[in-house]
Amino acid sequence: MNRRLRQSLLKLMRPHPWVVPALVTLGILASLAEGIGIGLLIPVLDDVMKTGPAASGTAGPLAQRLGELTAWIPADYRLPVLSLFILLLIAVKTVLLISHTAVSAWLNGRVAHDLRVAVFDRIVNADYLYVAGLGQGHVMNLIENQADRAGEAMTIFGDFLGATCTAFVFVILLALLSWQLTLIVLAVVLPVSLFVRMMTKRSHRLGARLMRAYTDFSTRAIEIIHAVRTIRLFGAEAIEARQLEAASDRVRRAALSTSLVTGSIQPLVEFLYLPVFIAVLAFALKAGIGLSSLFAFLALLYRLQTPLKRLDHLRVELSSHAPAIEELERLSSESADHPTRSGTRPAGPLRDSIEFDHVSFGYAGSVRPALDDVSLRIRRGEIVALIGASGAGKSTLVNLLCRLYEPGAGRILVDGQPLSELDTASWRRRIAFAGQDSDLLLGTVRENVVFGSPDASEDQISEALRLAHAAQFIAELPGGLDAEVGPLGRKLSGGQRQRIALARAFIRQPDLLILDEATNAVDNITEAEIQAAIDVLAGRCTIVVNAHRLATLRRAD
């Protein structure tokens, strides 16, 4: 395991500092229980073969020490008592291993959950321009797939710690049985470790390829779901299906390559470890090591194979998960470098005006600025209309007003105070917005109407629905206010979504109401009724309208 990956894993564990000590302690205790249980086979075999402790031959101090510790057991009870001890030690090992697995599984779920929440938190709180530039497929891949892969990496790391503890304890016990045989074992294990290191690098590359394939597939799937109406209208179902199939096949092939590499390690290593047993047997017979000690050594060596092979497999598997962790770290670092900007001064009620003072703004990669040296004043209580061709900068101006963007030059003043010095959250509480996209969230009509105004009363809800001319169609929905709107409000028509969005804006009773083509999906009669409601609101709040319809523009001051 390389240093960077190890540091990343430990960083993910940092909120849970007890986990690593717990995993190490459980791993060592379980390994000791098993190792001592195998070591007790020496006095058991000595007793069965009636040869006594001398049968241990030239073995190390462990055999002698175990013989001394079990000498107190009467000869008639020696075999059953030792067998019982071995059984108890194996039972203890089983309980400890189950506890180790439970801690690893808990860590898996906890880390995956923390990462999913962290990604959302970063996106919600990062600069809007940065978030808008992130690919939806990339973000969904991180949330749906890579966060889970990072969680799986924690389980693998827990297994890695357990296998390391077992290997460490068993090597010490083997050395205590015979340091000469242990050196032979290490001489064979080290070249195998170098082979695994090479496979680990290949696994990392394949893991990166798999992550890119997942991202491409997620991006394609999201685009198809969002554009399914256009796809059908242009008869492009077969084309899109082939492209999605190709993206899915790239995921399949990348996953297959990764699985082949990680899955082949264990049988390959098992084959490479075969010479160890041959070398140990040859040396033991030549050195005159007793049969009981040799049997215990071989039993420990056989059991040592499992954690060693497991370690090799886990190193490769962890390497295949490393790109997911690296990408999550990159997003976390990048989003931290693009925080939402905010001042510290609370925004009070609008008393006089909002002023754009020589404001300019340009998008990254664009030759021409979206706004160039714009100056205007919006007085309290006015209806101000923004008109112009597509791309003229109307929505950009609105986004600057909502402080989703920051001016590249110039400044925006609210009652003479720079907007940049105001607390962004308190400023946005003074604003209500209804746009042409009419974004509704998954939930009921009621939840969408009171979104941003959770303490609204029933009377306030009714008044907002009346102003938006939404009460009648909502009453006809199955469930009325408690009817589900579906993902993005897709269970409703465009006009119905816009009227709910207007009610959501009206219920806030804002100082500044922003309407961005907010009635373009309703019929002329409904629009006239909504315009009448806006006329009523005009005396209570300042209204900025981005519209093309002449009827809307005529009402502007």
Side-chain angles (χ1 to χ4, degrees), residues 342 345-350 353-354 398-404 412-415 419-420 422-432 508 510-512 514:
S342 177
R345 189 179 301 171
L350 181 63
S353 65
I354 300 168
V398 166
N399 286 333
L400 285 165
L401 190 55
C402 295
R403 214 178 173 202
L404 294 174
I412 302 172
L413 302 173
V414 178
D415 289 338
L419 179 58
S420 59
L422 298 181
D423 175 71
T424 301
S426 66
W427 168 242
R428 288 175 183 160
R429 283 195 291 271
R430 301 286 176 185
I431 301 173
R508 300 198 75 177
D511 290 347
L512 176 63
I514 299 174

